Amino acid sequence: MHPDPRACLRRSISLGVLGLGTLLLAACAGQTSQQTTGDAAPPNFLPGEVVTQQGRLSADLYPIIFVIAVAVFLLVEGLIIYIAFRYRRRPTDRDLPTQTHGNNMLEIAWTIIPAVIVTGLFVLAMSVLFQIEARAADPDVEVDVTGFQWQWTFDYPEEDLSFTGAGVDGPEMVLPVGETVRIRLQAQDVIHSFYVPQFFFKRDVVPGRVNEFEVLVERPGTFGGQCAEFCGLAHSDMFFTVRAVPRAEYDTWVAAEQERANATPPPPASGPPPPSGGPPPSGGAPPAGTVVETATTPDAPLAFTQTALQVTAGASVTANYLNDSNLPHNIAFFQGPDPSAPRIAATEVMPGPGNQQSISFTAPSEPGSYYFHCDVHAQQMIGTFEVTP
């Protein structure tokens, strides 16, 4: 028994409408990331507001390809629907219709027309690609970007500056507006992906290889970026920020950061010690210094060996941390029971094994239970330090 052609047609149309609706909903879905995308409209169904010269070249190609794709879709689907209705079997039909075995003109047309379209798109795409991949002989600024689980390091070799950060805020990359910036990408562990939506550009960050590109930001603003390649448990928190500013403001920022990096630590607030035999300073002597230690071992590369540290309120504390794993870690202390509290002190994020770091700070004056963690693995490597009277 032959199936009813009309039922088959209705089923096909329903499936087609459902599929098209699903694609449209997926294309129009809003961004679900908790990270702000910055001072420009992010890409959605359309490219959004593109703020770089290179990204605009790609964005200008988008409507051309989109219009051609829509035209081809409407033509092909329209012909399918027309033929299905026009030549459907009717109840009065008893014999097969006249059979046509090929049409040379049609076959030539549907071979040449797609070939011309594809060739034209290829030429346009390669022209844009060559412009995007062009390299300046002497870029105005160079930034080395290192991705590792699960954060970024931005190094400015000419300015002798370096910034590392993790989490929803991440580090900030500051760039001058209207100038050519060369960015070099490399990874320490697994594949990451450097993606700034408003740049309309994404490039993989691959271990053992340096991928580079150049970008010219055309207007000031702050633009959110993220890792766009699944790289492990905390991939969803691997964010960063790009802030584009005029050249004068960029030079001021560089000078301020260099001064901060080279600043001499201030003397102790208590001042020089009193003369021998003199009276103790008012308020009495500060509590004696305390040394606390913890580590990360190769057997447990995502854990502290000591997750409960004890110090005395107001004491001078020295925290020793040994990273003996093959992953980058640090230790950060907070003035509260969780990382939303103000940060007291933190070591630099450094890869292991065999990396020993120390940091000194003054313990909170109020007894209680406080918090520490690794900035890179803030969900797995946590602990408490108890401040006692």
Side-chain angles (χ1 to χ4, degrees):
M1 184 176 182
H2 297 288
D4 184 357
R6 286 172 294 185
C8 293
L9 179 61
R10 285 194 298 269
R11 208 160 29 241
S12 299
I13 294 175
S14 299
L15 289 174
V17 171
L18 178 62
L20 181 61
T22 302
L23 290 175
L24 289 175
L25 286 174
C28 296
Q31 178 166 337
T32 58
S33 170
Q34 61 180 327
Q35 170 75 350
T36 57
T37 54
D39 299 332
N44 211 306
F45 186 76
L46 297 174
E49 183 179 356
V50 180
V51 299
T52 66
Q53 185 182 80
Q54 292 78 4
R56 191 161 42 78
L57 292 171
S58 297
D60 290 344
L61 192 60
Y62 179 91
I64 300 174
I65 296 177
F66 181 77
V67 168
I68 293 175
V70 170
V72 171
F73 172 81
L74 293 177
L75 175 64
V76 173
E77 294 301 321
L79 287 174
I80 290 175
I81 294 173
Y82 169 76
I83 292 170
F85 275 99
R86 174 67 179 80
Y87 299 103
R88 71 187 185 278
R89 183 178 180 180
R90 294 173 172 82
T92 58
D93 291 338
R94 294 290 181 267
D95 299 321
L96 287 174
T98 303
Q99 302 297 296
T100 301
H101 299 283
N103 184 303
N104 291 337
M105 292 303 297
L106 281 177
E107 291 177 4
I108 292 173
W110 66 51
T111 299
I112 292 179
I113 293 175
V116 170
I117 293 174
V118 171
T119 302
L121 292 178
F122 175 80
V123 172
L124 286 174
M126 291 304 296
S127 173
V128 170
L129 180 63
F130 289 148
Q131 294 179 71
I132 292 175
E133 292 296 326
R135 296 289 180 270
D138 185 21
D140 300 292
V141 176
E142 296 183 352
V143 184
D144 292 331
V145 176
T146 303
F148 52 96
Q149 293 175 313
W150 286 277
Q151 61 182 310
W152 303 92
T153 293
F154 299 150
D155 292 311
Y156 293 73
E158 294 295 326
E159 293 80 3
D160 195 25
L161 294 173
S162 181
F163 306 93
T164 299
V168 174
D169 294 330
E172 181 182 63
M173 178 188 297
V174 179
L175 304 177
V177 171
E179 300 187 20
T180 300
V181 178
R182 179 172 296 168
I183 297 178
R184 292 185 288 262
L185 307 172
Q186 56 186 332
Q188 289 186 353
D189 36 39
V190 300
I191 296 177
H192 303 278
S193 185
F194 183 93
Y195 176 49
V196 181
Q198 282 79 19
F199 285 11
F200 207 60
F201 183 87
K202 177 169 58 177
R203 178 147 294 179
D204 281 349
V205 188
V206 182
R209 179 168 58 183
V210 177
N211 286 340
E212 66 177 39
F213 65 95
E214 291 184 358
V215 64
L216 187 150
V217 184
E218 296 181 316
R219 76 165 183 83
T222 300
F223 314 106
Q226 64 193 81
C227 174
E229 182 82 21
F230 181 71
C231 55
L233 294 175
H235 160 73
S236 61
D237 290 332
M238 195 169 170
F239 293 103
F240 61 91
T241 302
V242 177
R243 180 161 60 94
V245 297
R247 166 51 80 165
E249 186 175 340
Y250 175 79
D251 291 337
T252 302
W253 171 81
V254 168
E257 292 297 331
Q258 289 174 336
E259 182 179 358
R260 182 182 306 173
N262 298 326
T264 303
S270 58
S276 176
S282 60
T290 303
V291 177
V292 293
E293 296 184 346
T294 188
T296 301
T297 64
D299 296 332
L302 290 176
F304 290 116
T305 54
Q306 299 291 331
T307 57
L309 307 176
Q310 184 172 320
V311 299
T312 304
S316 175
V317 178
T318 299
N320 297 325
Y321 172 59
L322 171 62
N323 178 12
D324 213 16
S325 73
N326 60 351
L327 297 176
H329 296 304
N330 78 329
I331 186 169
F333 294 85
F334 295 85
Q335 183 93 24
D338 56 57
S340 64
R343 181 176 295 228
I344 299 175
T347 62
E348 292 291 329
V349 175
M350 295 291 288
N355 177 38
Q356 173 78 52
Q357 294 191 76
S358 297
I359 191 166
S360 297
F361 59 92
T362 300
S365 58
E366 293 293 328
S369 182
Y370 295 83
Y371 176 87
F372 69 88
H373 74 193
C374 167
D375 284 331
V376 188
H377 308 93
Q379 297 177 355
Q380 300 95 346
M381 297 178 62
I382 62 176
T384 59
F385 67 107
E386 297 293 334
V387 177
T388 60

